[in-house]
Every structure is written in structure tokens, then in C-alpha cells.
Amino acid sequence: MKTDDKSGNQGPKTQQERVYMQLREAILRGKFEPGNSVTLRGIAEMLGVSLMPVRESLRRLTTERALQLLNNRRITVPMMTPDKLEELYQTRVSLESYAAGRAMQNISPEALAYLYEVNEKHTQSIVEDDVENYIYLNFEFHRELYRHGRCEVVMPLIESLWLQIAPFMRMVHSQYLTENRFNESEDKHKAILSAIEKNNVTQLKYLIHDDILDGVRRLQAAMGWPVSS
């Protein structure tokens, strides 16, 4: 799997930046589950670092609304509500459709081959019931696609939205992987790849919308909320 080095960052990262990236990936893998909380010291011990880089990394992640620092110095995932989920959904569709449209013209045969590779790993995670990799590789597939749009302003916004939704998708993905009902998602990614091969930007944007909506519907159902049409 490729890493965030693709983003254009050069040179060695500081300890604070490494801690931030580690925590960020942990969130995108669903390691921070809604309803559970951890302490600053617990995270520092888990990563084998001092409190200072953890504190600064958590400050950044709370600014991105990925995590919430409570009064008792514990860290948790902010609550999700139907209205918040609807806003996340609408914003994701707008930004990600735009990023995908910009990316299409820049995707080389080699880049397309790598997208297929990421999707194969994503599919394998279904076979292995690997929830964390399933969640992460889904985001990685989309990130690898969008990065070709060279959207310096939009990509940080998209990834901030992913950080807010990822902990809740673990609940949904665990349920569907266990029940063997999640295989259809592979076809959505394959359809996206097919649209890229055909240079059909209208179809690509529609499929991005459909893929995001599918995840939202699953989460709404898991929460017992009205499901979007």
C-alpha cells in the first residue's frame, strides 16, 4: 500500500508529525470506536512517545473534528446525529465528485493499474473478514483516485470528512462483513474503474455519489435512523 508520501511532503517527518499520521491512520482504520474513550497517557504509551507530541497531534485532530477532548482529559469520538451525517454526506458528494472529475484526465495506465491493485487488496480484506483494512483500503482507493486531480485545497477537506465518518463505518462494516453481505462494494469500485477506462466523467461522478450514498444508507440503518432515498 502506498503511503502519504504521495502528498508531496519531502524529507523526514518530525516526531509530532509522525504521531499525528499514526493517530490519523488509526482513526481511518476504525481503531477509535464511538462510545469508547482513551487518555493522553494511554495513547503516548501505545505509541512509545512522550505526552507532548500526542497532545499537539490531538489538538490538530480535534480541530479537524475527528476526535474530542473531554473535560476529564480523555479522548473520544464526537457524537453522530442524523443531521450531521446528512451534512457529511452532501459535502462528501460535492467535493469527491469534483476531485474525481479533475483526476480523470490525469490517470495514466500505470496509475489505473495501481488503483486495481488497491481494489484487489480491498477485496481480499473482505475474504479475510479484516474490518480495519476494509475500512482503510476503501479510503485509500478513493484517495489514490482523487490525488490525480491535484486538488491542494479540496483534498485536506475530503480527508477531514473521512476522519469524522471512519469510526462509525467500523460499526457498519463489522456487521456486514460478519453477515457476508458486503461483497457488492467490490463491484462499485470496479464500476468506477470501468468508467475511468471509458473516460466517462459523468458516469464516474454518478458512481462516486452512489458509493458514498451506499455507505451512508448502511450507517443510517445501523443507527435505526430514516434511510436516504
Side-chain angles (χ1 to χ4, degrees), residues 16-208:
Q16 187 275 318
E17 187 67 18
R18 287 195 300 272
V19 169
Y20 169 74
M21 295 305 296
Q22 285 178 294
L23 288 175
R24 198 168 177 275
E25 180 170 328
I27 294 169
L28 290 176
R29 288 184 177 276
K31 289 182 179 291
F32 288 83
E33 297 185 49
N36 294 344
S37 64
V38 293
T39 63
L40 286 166
R41 188 169 300 280
I43 293 177
E45 291 176 355
M46 177 181 72
L47 299 180
V49 296
S50 66
L51 286 174
M52 186 176 296
V54 172
R55 186 178 291 111
E56 176 58 23
S57 298
L58 288 171
R59 184 195 64 78
R60 292 174 64 181
L61 289 165
T62 55
T63 299
E64 293 179 275
R65 300 182 183 275
L67 295 173
Q68 181 179 13
L69 183 60
L70 304 177
N71 291 335
N72 60 3
R73 302 182 66 79
R74 297 185 71 85
I75 299 96
T76 189
V77 174
M79 291 181 60
M80 182 64 69
T81 65
D83 287 345
K84 180 179 178 179
L85 180 60
E86 175 67 18
E87 187 175 353
L88 285 169
Y89 157 57
Q90 296 291 352
T91 308
R92 283 191 62 194
V93 167
S94 177
L95 296 180
E96 294 185 41
S97 296
Y98 170 77
R102 279 183 55 115
M104 175 172 276
Q105 63 184 341
N106 299 320
I107 298 178
S108 65
E110 292 77 16
L112 185 63
Y114 182 66
L115 281 167
Y116 271 104
E117 180 184 331
V118 173
N119 195 46
E120 284 299 316
K121 293 178 180 178
H122 183 242
T123 302
Q124 186 61 30
S125 70
I126 300 173
V127 175
E128 297 173 354
D129 288 349
D130 186 343
V131 177
E132 287 187 8
N133 265 331
Y134 184 91
I135 297 170
Y136 186 80
L137 288 168
N138 179 62
F139 290 128
E140 178 71 359
F141 176 86
H142 286 269
R143 176 165 50 195
E144 177 61 19
L145 166 58
Y146 304 153
R147 82 175 183 88
H148 294 286
R150 301 164 189 167
C151 303
E152 295 183 10
V153 174
V154 171
M155 275 309 300
L157 299 175
I158 289 174
E159 296 195 4
S160 175
L161 298 174
W162 290 349
L163 289 168
Q164 294 179 61
I165 198 73
F168 297 90
M169 297 313 294
R170 181 187 181 95
M171 300 160 49
V172 180
H173 291 199
S174 296
Q175 173 189 346
Y176 279 91
L177 284 172
T178 300
E179 297 175 3
N180 241 347
R181 294 164 58 191
F182 228 69
N183 294 321
E184 65 195 71
S185 185
E186 175 196 2
D187 295 332
K188 292 182 184 298
H189 285 180
K190 283 187 174 179
I192 288 170
L193 293 169
S194 177
I196 294 170
E197 289 178 318
K198 295 174 182 176
N199 200 33
N200 189 332
V201 68
T202 301
Q203 181 71 359
L204 175 61
K205 290 183 177 182
Y206 168 80
L207 290 166
I208 293 294

